[in-house]
Amino acid sequence: MNHSAAISSQSASVFKRLSRWYLIALSVIGVVFIASHALIQGHLDKQENDSRIVNVAGRQRMLSQRLSKEILMLTTAEEPTKRQEIKSQIKETLEIWTSSHDGLKFGSEELGLPGVNSVSVLKMFADIQPHYDAMVTGTLHILKTLNQNPLVDLSEIEPDMDLVLDHEQDFLHGMDKLVFQYDAEAKNKVLELRKVEYLLLFFALATLVVELLFIFRPTALYAKQNIQQLVEAEKAALSNAEEIRELYEVKEKSVQELRALNFAVDQAALFASIRLDGSLIYMSEKLKLFLGYRHKKPMGQFAEIMTTHEGEQQYLSQIIRTPRSTIWTGEVSITSLNGTKHWLELSIVPVNRSGIQQDYLILCSDISARKKTEKALQQLNEEKFEERFRLQKLRSLHVVEAQENERKRIARDMHDGIGQMLTALKFNLESVNPEKPERAREKITSLKQLASNLIKGVRIATFNLTPPELTDYGLPSALAKLCSELKKLTSEPILFENRTQFQGRFDPIVETNIYRITQEAVNNAIKYSEGSYILVTLSHSRDLVSIMVEDDGKGFDQNQVVIEPQDPEGTNLGLSFMRERVAYINGRLFIRSKSGEGTRITVNIPISTESKEGRMLGNT
């Protein structure tokens, strides 16, 4: 025992010493490789930055040329829309050009530019800076002049155009030098990295040689000694045979417990074992009871045992007879002996037995309840879809009906107003008698007033149609024009205010509906409010555009108003018209009114949300 203890102590000491040296050797190798990897990765990052810098610097030449080209395009653009388009292109190009220039000099996370430049590069930037500043100044002045007057004479911006073009060539030559300088510096970095990599490679090879001589070789000798000790230990292992026999007895006891467990599984699980040709080998008791085999033993083909339906038998037989080397899982429908329909989740597991041809293990799980739930859920979703479709159809019908009522109202206004005035004008003209000058002068005076009213009626009727401002300049301009014209035609104090300077555009259908809703609200206020002012306010936030029409007139009791188109002359039709249009564009309508306290109508429309017919195109 003392001799064995001494050997064990000596072995532990040697093993501890060799382990320590082995750990040191691995650590040195690891440090070398980690340093090499870190150096290479750092260089790759720098190379990526250098490549990005060269690309951005080269792009600066293209952007300066494109800026000059777009400025020259102004000389051929005479239409306001074309100038606005070119102005937007110039502004976009200038923003990209200036941000890239600043990123090259000072760095930019957005563009991936570090902003670390050598003295030579900084000097080159200083050389081209006057030309860059001159081009930026000239371009900004051109944009400012076009913002103030899109139809400005080109002679007013010609000096600025000459300023940009005069400095373009000098800027291009300076950028050429910068690109070549960036490329030369990147090549120098590669040469420096190559020297360091050679040094690390030499150090790693030297480390491996030292470790081979002083660590791995002693370790191999120590392993040889341990093998000899293992041979001696084999003799001692024979003395443990008695202990192994005792363990075997414990194993037999465990086998008996496993058999009991298999019996429990057989009574609780749905499974079977079949041959490749589909004939049944074994079926669990629970599967037998599930299929209705209470008083007879199932025998024959597995597909015929599982279901009594011929089509289901053919489908199941085809699945079983298909050669496979992996597990197959799927859902099948079966009909038991008593005619009950079931859904099973079936798994076919290939089993290779030692010395026996391959068999299949069939695992089943009853999913009838789940399939029934899925069917009910599918039916419920179909019903919901049909209901949504019906509501959509009903809403579209209401919108068409409201539009038809609006056309009828315009026709009625033309007939009852303009038509009657034309008839009166005709009769008055026929009654003029040149032989009675005094009476004729009175008739002519009356005819002038009637003609003035007729012109006013025609202007009101035509203005109710879609104004050109809505298509050309958008909603704010159209609403401002609406209030201005109605103020002139009706002499009512109608005011418009764009509080947040909204200039965004919607889909044309959405803009038309918003305009019609506002027009209806203002017309209702003119007809029924009898107030001292009508105020139309436009405002917006990041997600919402809001239009508010308010007056200080007599108002009405909201609880007594039914939103149905029953009275074609009253407010019910107008409110129904507005609600249908607001719902059509996915907006919301709020009405606040009390008798004697005026009325406020607010319409909210979501920004950047797709409506039923269109999507917002942009906003500021």
Side-chain angles (χ1 to χ4, degrees):
M1 290 295 296
N2 293 334
H3 178 68
S4 299
I7 294 176
S8 177
S9 176
Q10 182 180 4
S11 299
S13 177
V14 174
F15 181 79
K16 183 177 181 181
R17 185 177 69 255
L18 291 176
S19 298
R20 184 169 60 251
W21 281 105
Y22 194 80
L23 181 61
I24 293 174
L26 290 179
S27 299
V28 172
I29 295 175
V31 168
V32 172
F33 281 103
I34 290 173
S36 301
H37 181 73
L39 180 64
I40 293 172
Q41 290 298 322
H43 177 70
L44 290 177
D45 291 339
K46 292 181 180 179
Q47 283 292 98
E48 183 178 358
N49 290 337
D50 292 340
S51 176
R52 180 63 178 166
I53 291 172
V54 172
N55 287 337
V56 173
R59 190 182 64 176
Q60 284 296 88
R61 300 182 72 260
M62 179 272 294
L63 290 175
S64 64
Q65 291 175 331
R66 187 168 76 181
L67 183 64
S68 301
K69 177 183 176 182
E70 290 170 349
I71 290 174
L72 287 174
M73 288 171 62
L74 289 172
T75 59
T76 62
E78 297 180 358
E79 299 179 1
T81 55
K82 184 63 177 179
R83 284 197 178 184
Q84 289 291 340
E85 180 181 354
I86 296 174
K87 185 193 76 173
S88 301
Q89 295 175 357
I90 293 174
K91 183 178 179 181
E92 181 182 357
T93 303
L94 181 63
E95 291 176 353
I96 299 174
W97 188 50
T98 53
S99 62
S100 300
H101 187 83
D102 294 338
L104 288 172
K105 289 183 64 177
F106 309 110
S108 172
E109 294 182 359
E110 181 180 356
L111 297 176
L113 300 173
V116 179
N117 295 311
S118 64
V119 176
S120 300
V121 171
L122 292 176
K123 185 177 182 304
M124 292 179 181
F125 268 115
D127 292 338
I128 66 172
Q129 190 64 33
H131 308 295
Y132 168 81
D133 292 338
M135 293 178 69
V136 171
T137 302
T139 304
L140 290 176
H141 192 268
I142 291 172
L143 292 175
K144 181 179 179 182
T145 304
L146 291 176
N147 285 331
Q148 294 174 351
N149 183 11
L151 298 177
V152 66
D153 194 298
L154 294 178
S155 61
E156 296 184 19
I157 62 174
E158 186 175 358
D160 297 314
M161 297 172 64
D162 293 337
L163 179 63
V164 173
L165 298 176
D166 290 341
H167 288 272
E168 179 193 4
Q169 289 299 323
D170 293 331
F171 178 83
L172 290 176
H173 294 158
M175 286 307 303
D176 284 338
K177 295 179 180 179
L178 270 171
V179 171
F180 292 144
Q181 181 64 25
Y182 277 133
D183 185 65
E185 291 180 1
K187 291 181 179 178
N188 291 334
K189 293 178 182 178
V190 172
L191 294 176
E192 293 176 0
L193 177 66
R194 184 173 298 171
K195 295 178 182 179
V196 175
E197 286 179 345
Y198 284 148
L199 181 62
L200 289 175
L201 177 63
F202 175 79
F203 182 78
L205 293 175
T207 303
L208 289 174
V209 172
V210 171
E211 290 174 355
L212 179 64
L213 294 176
F214 298 98
I215 296 177
F216 296 126
R217 185 172 179 276
T219 301
L221 296 175
Y222 178 71
K224 182 179 179 180
Q225 295 176 359
N226 285 339
I227 292 174
Q228 294 176 353
Q229 294 177 2
L230 288 174
V231 172
E232 296 175 357
E234 181 182 3
K235 299 178 182 179
L238 296 176
S239 62
N240 296 327
E242 184 65 21
E243 296 179 3
I244 294 175
R245 186 182 63 80
E246 294 176 358
L247 292 175
Y248 184 79
E249 293 177 355
V250 174
K251 174 187 174 183
E252 288 296 325
K253 184 178 179 180
S254 299
V255 169
Q256 294 177 0
E257 293 176 353
L258 181 60
R259 289 174 180 171
L261 179 61
N262 288 337
F263 177 79
V265 172
D266 185 61
Q267 300 296 322
L270 303 176
F271 71 92
S273 178
I274 63 173
R275 297 185 179 90
L276 292 179
D277 60 359
S279 59
L280 180 66
I281 299 176
Y282 175 79
M283 180 177 288
S284 67
E285 291 297 327
K286 186 172 182 179
L287 183 56
K288 294 177 184 177
L289 295 176
F290 180 78
L291 297 175
Y293 292 91
R294 297 180 180 273
H295 305 292
K296 64 177 181 178
K297 182 178 179 181
M299 298 179 63
Q301 290 293 317
F302 179 74
E304 298 176 356
I305 296 172
M306 288 293 291
T307 177
T308 59
H309 190 275
E310 184 176 356
E312 295 172 350
Q313 290 176 356
Q314 293 178 357
Y315 176 68
L316 190 58
S317 177
Q318 181 180 2
I319 294 174
I320 293 173
R321 293 179 182 275
T322 301
R324 57 176 47 86
S325 58
T326 58
I327 299 174
W328 178 90
T329 301
E331 298 177 355
V332 297
S333 174
I334 65 169
T335 304
S336 60
L337 291 178
N338 58 8
T340 304
K341 287 284 187 178
H342 297 284
W343 276 95
L344 295 179
E345 186 176 66
L346 205 67
S347 296
I348 302 179
V349 184
V351 179
N352 292 311
R353 301 180 183 274
S354 178
I356 305 178
Q357 192 177 12
Q358 184 187 54
D359 296 336
Y360 287 143
L361 177 64
I362 310 297
L363 303 178
C364 306
S365 177
D366 186 11
I367 59 172
S368 300
R370 189 185 76 188
K371 297 295 287 188
K372 184 177 180 181
T373 303
E374 290 177 353
K375 184 177 180 180
L377 182 60
Q378 181 180 3
Q379 183 177 0
L380 180 61
N381 290 335
E382 291 177 354
E383 292 175 356
K384 288 182 178 180
F385 175 78
E386 292 176 357
E387 178 65 17
R388 287 197 299 268
F389 181 77
R390 186 186 67 80
L391 292 176
Q392 172 68 19
K393 185 176 180 181
L394 181 60
R395 179 175 293 174
S396 299
L397 181 61
H398 287 171
V399 171
V400 172
E401 184 179 353
Q403 291 175 344
E404 186 62 28
N405 290 331
E406 182 182 3
R407 295 188 185 98
K408 291 179 180 179
R409 184 174 60 182
I410 293 174
R412 186 174 57 254
D413 290 342
M414 294 289 290
H415 178 269
D416 295 344
I418 298 173
Q420 291 180 4
M421 284 189 286
L422 286 172
T423 302
L425 181 63
K426 177 178 177 296
F427 289 152
N428 285 331
L429 285 172
E430 291 176 350
S431 64
V432 174
N433 188 357
E435 297 178 357
K436 297 179 180 180
E438 293 297 332
R439 182 63 177 171
R441 279 194 294 270
E442 293 178 1
K443 286 289 184 178
I444 291 173
T445 302
S446 176
L447 286 172
K448 289 181 179 179
Q449 182 63 35
L450 186 58
S452 177
N453 294 335
L454 179 61
I455 293 172
K456 182 178 179 180
V458 172
R459 291 182 64 186
I460 292 175
T462 55
F463 187 74
N464 284 331
L465 302 176
T466 302
E469 286 81 2
L470 184 62
T471 303
D472 296 338
Y473 303 110
L475 196 60
S477 298
L479 294 180
K481 183 69 173 179
L482 171 69
C483 296
S484 175
E485 289 298 321
L486 289 178
K487 182 178 180 181
K488 295 177 182 178
L489 296 173
T490 62
S491 300
E492 294 285 344
I494 305 174
L495 305 175
F496 173 74
E497 181 182 2
N498 188 354
R499 290 185 177 175
T500 58
Q501 300 303 314
F502 176 75
Q503 296 297 331
R505 295 302 301 267
F506 287 92
D507 183 273
I509 295 180
V510 178
E511 288 186 340
T512 301
N513 278 280
I514 296 173
Y515 179 83
R516 291 299 185 196
I517 293 167
T518 308
Q519 184 183 36
E520 181 66 27
V522 174
N523 285 335
N524 284 343
I526 294 173
K527 292 179 181 180
Y528 309 113
S529 70
E530 299 179 4
S532 61
Y533 72 89
I534 300 173
L535 177 61
V536 180
T537 304
L538 173 63
S539 61
H540 79 289
S541 61
R542 186 173 63 90
D543 302 319
L544 200 69
V545 171
S546 180
I547 299 173
M548 183 172 63
V549 181
E550 60 179 330
D551 62 73
D552 62 344
K554 60 183 182 181
F556 59 89
D557 188 354
Q558 294 180 237
N559 297 325
Q560 297 180 1
V561 176
V562 180
I563 308 303
E564 292 293 341
Q566 298 172 350
D567 181 11
E569 295 293 340
T571 59
N572 288 12
L573 178 61
L575 295 177
S576 176
F577 167 84
M578 287 189 287
R579 286 190 183 277
E580 292 296 338
R581 284 192 180 271
V582 168
Y584 190 71
I585 60 176
N586 287 341
R588 298 188 67 185
L589 176 68
F590 302 93
I591 302 174
R592 179 181 178 184
S593 181
K594 288 185 180 180
S595 297
E597 297 184 8
T599 303
R600 175 185 295 173
I601 297 178
T602 305
V603 180
N604 292 335
I605 303 96
I607 293 178
S608 298
T609 301
E610 188 173 4
S611 66
K612 296 180 179 179
E613 292 293 335
R615 181 183 293 271
M616 171 111 181
L617 300 180
N619 61 80
T620 57

